[in-house]
Amino acid sequence: MKKYIVLLIGFAVISAAGYGQSQDEKYRREFDEFLEYSMAAHVLSYLEDQMDSYIEEQSEEVAARIKEIYPLIRQHYADFIYESMMPMYRERISYKDLRKINRFYRSAAGQRFKEAQKPILMELIPEGEQLVMSIGELLSGCFEQ
């Protein structure tokens, strides 16, 4: 009987440790992992690469000032992810499902998917920008009539 009581107390302590973290913290931890796997975390590096190309065309003084604001840009991006993007995901994807998605990304197939996804997304970004420009031109034609 004493063994069962000790065993139950042990399970209670382990369970309490798991519940010690808030649901928000647990979701955010899974969400952070999801961001890395889903490539959303890499969008910022693409933007910085684009800015680096722009900086090369500037004077040293202007380039230095632009680079000084990189931390501010990173903070704005993080704010966007956690204040806008994460709540949208949380409304639509449960913690349990997010864990399953991350488990897929950790699998061999998920790793191959991740490796294929990055170059595809990087190739699509300029094409997406071109698509937006084309749609804008079509819309401006409608307004002129």
Side-chain angles (χ1 to χ4, degrees):
M1 184 68 171
K2 288 181 183 179
K3 288 181 184 179
Y4 292 115
I5 292 172
V6 170
L7 187 60
L8 286 174
I9 291 171
F11 282 134
V13 169
I14 291 170
S15 296
Y19 287 108
Q21 293 182 330
S22 74
Q23 293 301 316
D24 289 339
E25 290 169 339
K26 289 168 72 173
Y27 196 91
R28 178 160 176 168
R29 190 175 61 246
E30 287 297 324
F31 188 73
D32 284 342
E33 185 175 346
F34 168 74
L35 288 174
E36 184 62 34
Y37 291 138
S38 70
M39 308 309 292
H42 301 282
V43 171
L44 182 59
S45 64
Y46 170 78
L47 295 173
E48 287 178 349
D49 289 345
Q50 294 298 310
M51 289 178 63
D52 286 343
S53 296
Y54 173 75
I55 287 172
E56 289 174 4
E57 301 169 3
Q58 307 304 313
S59 69
E60 287 184 32
E61 183 182 332
V62 171
R65 284 191 305 207
I66 292 172
K67 287 184 178 186
E68 286 176 6
I69 66 166
Y70 274 23
L72 184 61
I73 292 169
R74 287 185 194 103
Q75 185 58 52
H76 281 295
Y77 188 70
D79 291 347
F80 166 76
I81 285 175
Y82 295 114
E83 294 172 10
S84 299
M85 192 173 163
M86 190 172 79
M88 290 178 186
Y89 272 88
R90 194 165 185 173
E91 286 176 15
R92 293 165 180 85
I93 300 174
S94 71
Y95 171 76
K96 185 177 178 180
D97 286 340
L98 190 56
R99 288 189 64 177
K100 289 178 184 177
I101 292 166
N102 287 340
R103 195 172 313 128
F104 161 73
Y105 277 119
R106 286 189 296 267
S107 72
Q111 289 297 308
R112 287 191 300 275
F113 177 76
K114 178 186 170 190
E115 291 306 312
Q117 188 180 17
K118 184 176 182 179
I120 290 169
L121 290 175
M122 292 300 130
E123 285 179 40
L124 285 175
I125 289 173
E127 291 183 29
E129 292 169 351
Q130 191 64 21
L131 176 63
V132 169
M133 297 291 284
S134 298
I135 291 170
E137 290 172 11
L138 288 171
L139 289 174
S140 67
C142 291
F143 293 128
E144 291 174 2
Q145 295 176 359

